[in-house]
Amino acid sequence: MLNRLTEDVGSHGPSSDPRVVDSNANSINHSAPASKESGQTIKRHFLAAPLSSGPFVELLSSTYSGAQARTPGRRRVAEHLLKITPRSTFARISLAEIDFLSGDYAGATHQISYALALGGSNSSALLDALVEMAKNPETRPFVADLIESRPRWSSTLLMRLAPTSAHKAYLWEWAEGDKRGEAAVVSALLRQNRIDLAYDAFLTFLTPESRAAMTAPFDAHFEGLPGAGPFTWDVDARAASFEPNGGLAVSSYGQTRKSIARQVTKLPSGLAQAKIMMSGDVSEGGNSFEWAIYCYRSRTPFWTLPATELSTEPVIIQEDISVPDADCEFQRVELAGLPGDFPRTGRALIQTLEISRLERSSTQ
């Protein structure tokens, strides 16, 4: 049944086991219609136990062609099964199929939603059916109505849609406000090498307040502002943490260079100035820190700033940056921990990192 439902909405996913297990009935083979003999068996089962779901599951499974699947009798059986077994996913799936084949797409999507709320092994196939309905312009509005109420499965649906539909405006609209959905859209676009579109999506998903106070890099005061990565601060939890009132507390230890905090940002080409406010405790010969900026696809930084001498009182460090003109529309900003000659942990508190343009590039 699930195979037929997904095929009807355009799915070409892998076939599933034709044996369907209802949560309140035994496992029954639904691959062949009931014979006259099996019909008598069903009747005997019903007379022996009229409140059992088994005979009605058998009746539902005995009609599986398109014409038979949407007969009034089959709907009555499915609705009766739902009355005696309210948590029957099989009844919900049957009604979803009947509604879909009858053109009642609103009813079909709601039945699928009820079945998903019940959970179970059929959830993955049901989500596949909704994915195909979301891709189809005719059935998409009915999926949108469900997404608007933010059911618990909506994030998973958005994540499944992202690989094929991340560039679609309707998916951006659905994902906005859903952290997992937003991240899935941005990640899918990055995997498709659409960093420009991924950045646009990131900006779209920001709250109006965050968008109005946009800085370069984003969240210049390390307040842990929400947003889709990698355009927000990604920190190593073992070496960094956001302070309650803003700022990033970091530590540098070990014998290798370690990335502590990083972010992808967008700086205009030409001259800019980095303004960093930080304090810390770094001993001579011990572990320290280094700021670096790379062009997005480069492994070699075009700017570095060692932080090997820090005071316990906050100090402002300002230094000019020359952002390359070619192949550097987006950049990676990174704070790294540097090993020292002696195993002494370095600590710091970064309160601000903001980069501002000094002059326009001649190309703009």
Side-chain angles (χ1 to χ4, degrees), residues 144 147 150 158 168-177 204-205:
I147 292 290
R150 294 294 182 200
L158 297 174
K168 299 290 188 180
Y170 74 83
L171 187 57
W172 290 25
E173 182 180 344
W174 294 356
E176 190 169 356
T204 298
F205 296 148

Side-chain angles (χ1 to χ4, degrees), residues 31-344:
S31 59
S35 65
K36 183 176 180 180
E37 182 180 347
S38 63
Q40 292 298 320
T41 302
I42 292 172
K43 182 178 180 180
R44 287 197 301 272
H45 286 167
F46 170 70
L47 292 174
L51 295 182
S52 170
S53 62
F56 301 102
V57 173
E58 284 280 13
L59 285 170
L60 280 177
S61 65
S62 67
T63 52
Y64 57 84
S65 69
Q68 291 172 310
R70 59 177 184 267
T71 58
R74 193 165 189 266
R75 180 184 291 277
R76 286 197 298 271
V77 172
E79 290 173 345
H80 181 73
L81 175 59
L82 198 58
K83 288 179 181 179
I84 63 174
T85 317
R87 294 186 60 81
S88 171
T89 55
F90 186 59
R92 292 291 185 185
I93 295 169
S94 299
L95 289 169
E97 183 188 27
I98 294 167
D99 285 340
F100 187 88
L101 293 173
S102 302
D104 182 3
Y105 302 134
T109 52
H110 278 91
Q111 293 296 349
I112 291 173
S113 181
Y114 287 134
L116 284 169
L118 293 170
S121 59
N122 294 319
S123 295
S124 181
L126 289 167
L127 284 168
D128 286 342
L130 286 180
V131 165
E132 296 304 328
M133 293 181 77
K135 292 178 183 178
N136 188 326
E138 186 178 1
T139 53
R140 184 180 303 144
F142 304 98
V143 181
D145 288 342
L146 292 181
I147 292 290
E148 190 174 353
S149 64
R150 294 294 182 200
R152 63 180 180 84
W153 45 262
S154 61
S155 295
T156 306
L157 177 65
L158 297 174
M159 293 167 68
R160 291 197 180 200
L161 272 170
T164 57
S165 307
H167 59 292
K168 299 290 188 180
Y170 74 83
L171 187 57
W172 290 25
E173 182 180 344
W174 294 356
E176 190 169 356
D178 184 309
K179 290 184 179 180
R180 292 173 62 197
E182 292 175 357
V185 170
V186 172
S187 295
L189 290 168
L190 289 173
R191 287 194 295 271
Q192 297 166 15
N193 294 319
R194 297 297 308 275
I195 186 171
D196 53 341
L197 204 53
Y199 187 69
D200 287 345
F202 158 73
L203 294 177
T204 298
F205 296 148
L206 290 179
T207 63
E209 296 77 16
S210 294
R211 205 176 300 123
M214 188 72 182
T215 58
F218 179 70
D219 193 8
H221 301 287
F222 298 93
E223 298 174 284
L225 299 178
F231 304 107
T232 54
W233 289 113
D234 175 23
V235 303
D236 181 349
R238 296 168 298 181
S241 62
F242 290 98
E243 294 290 281
N245 297 319
L248 188 71
V250 298
S251 59
S252 172
Y253 55 90
Q255 300 178 346
T256 58
R257 185 183 188 279
K258 295 180 180 178
S259 177
I260 297 174
R262 62 218 138 261
Q263 179 187 142
V264 175
T265 191
K266 187 176 184 179
L267 303 172
S269 59
L271 287 178
Q273 185 178 76
K275 180 180 179 181
I276 305 168
M277 179 182 291
M278 61 188 299
S279 58
D281 179 13
V282 176
S283 59
E284 184 177 355
N287 286 53
S288 58
F289 304 93
E290 180 184 72
W291 292 98
I293 304 179
Y294 305 74
C295 292
Y296 179 66
R297 302 189 186 283
S298 174
R299 295 185 178 183
T300 303
F302 63 80
W303 176 82
T304 58
L305 176 66
T308 54
E309 297 181 6
L310 295 174
S311 167
T312 54
E313 293 296 321
V315 296
I316 296 177
I317 306 169
Q318 294 187 153
E319 185 162 318
D320 291 351
I321 302 171
S322 180
V323 181
D325 293 329
D327 301 322
C328 203
E329 183 182 7
F330 291 88
Q331 305 81 29
R332 302 190 331 268
V333 180
E334 180 189 61
L335 173 66
L338 300 180
D341 297 327
F342 304 100
R344 295 175 183 170

